[in-house]
Amino acid sequence: MASLSHLNKLLCVPTLNSTPSVSPPRALGISTKPLPRPRLVADFARPAVRVRAVTSDDEWGPEKEEDTFGGGGVAVEEKPAETEKLKKALVDSFYGTDRGLKASSETRAEIVELITQLEAKNPNPAPTDALTLLNGKWILAYTSFAGLFPLLSRGTLPLVKVEEISQTIDSQNFTVQNSVQFAGPLATTSISTNAKFEVRSPQRVQIKFEEGIIGTPQLTDSLEIPENVEFLGQKIDLTPFKGILTSVQDTASSVVKTISSRPPLKIPISNSNAQSWLLTTYLDEDLRISRGDGGSVFVLIKEGSSLLTS
């Protein structure tokens, strides 16, 4: 008969005077790790997860925060569109400045500050890599370029006013056309320059002017004669001349078709110094800020933009 100690070894039972085994045989697959403590409801509390909600206002929508574990509805907080506010404030500051001609020093300082803030938030820091945004017709809203001030001054052009100053860019053909439209009591016309441009850096383009164009005058069928006109700082009463000017209306109407059918006058520009460069410091789908080689600033708004009616 087997001894008692031999029997204990077979059954893996420790003898009375031996130390208890730390772990049972692994062959039995028994885990010796301590059981986890019961989990309370508080253990399942999770922090609120912030997600970005997309609305139909723009590509990404205003930034919102939602509490997905709130249980009492969704709390939404919209981030203010600071850039849009700056753009609106900038356009509003142009009111009464006549594209910069009549801007006071205080208004100019305010405009410079708003431009600086917008340039710091430029969504397209490399505008020449976004040529599709540059495409189209841009209307000049403000400039500090003194070379345009004599043109804008009412005293130098009696009975004639500048209707629009624009720049049209064709990025596929690398062309630029600068145009000034005039309106008078008898006709409307335009003066333009055509140029080619080359990309020189992510922000800068070199412009070479090729020709000037004097548009065909478009005569008006009806005369709009003001009561008076300001010339060289003095008002001139036009009431005595209304009869004379009205008689001219019949003559103007008879030749309107003849003149309008003639092609515009083109003048080649062969001067090798007729070049300039332009630095675009802010660009989006409806606003552009550019700086010229003389340090002047130009703010232009895309044709059709709601900013033009602000």
Side-chain angles (χ1 to χ4, degrees), residues 274-306:
Q275 297 189 33
S276 180
W277 56 261
L278 202 62
L279 198 68
T280 299
T281 55
Y282 182 91
L283 175 66
D284 63 19
E285 61 277 358
D286 57 8
L287 184 71
R288 188 176 117 224
I289 300 174
S290 297
R291 295 182 181 271
D293 51 7
S296 302
V297 65
F298 303 86
V299 181
L300 303 101
I301 300 175
K302 195 71 165 288
E303 184 180 42
S305 170
S306 60

Side-chain angles (χ1 to χ4, degrees), residues 3 11 70 118 220 237 254:
S3 64
L11 298 177
L118 272 173
T220 57
D237 186 11
S254 63

Side-chain angles (χ1 to χ4, degrees), residues 124-146:
N124 294 283
T128 56
D129 293 337
L131 290 179
T132 54
L133 281 179
L134 285 171
N135 265 335
K137 184 178 180 180
W138 296 85
I139 312 300
L140 180 69
Y142 174 86
T143 183
S144 63
F145 180 46

Side-chain angles (χ1 to χ4, degrees), residues 40-60:
L40 303 178
V41 175
D43 294 333
F44 292 91
R46 298 174 62 185
V49 177
R50 295 182 177 181
V51 298
R52 186 182 181 94
V54 177
T55 67
S56 59
D57 294 334
D58 56 15
E59 182 180 358
W60 293 102

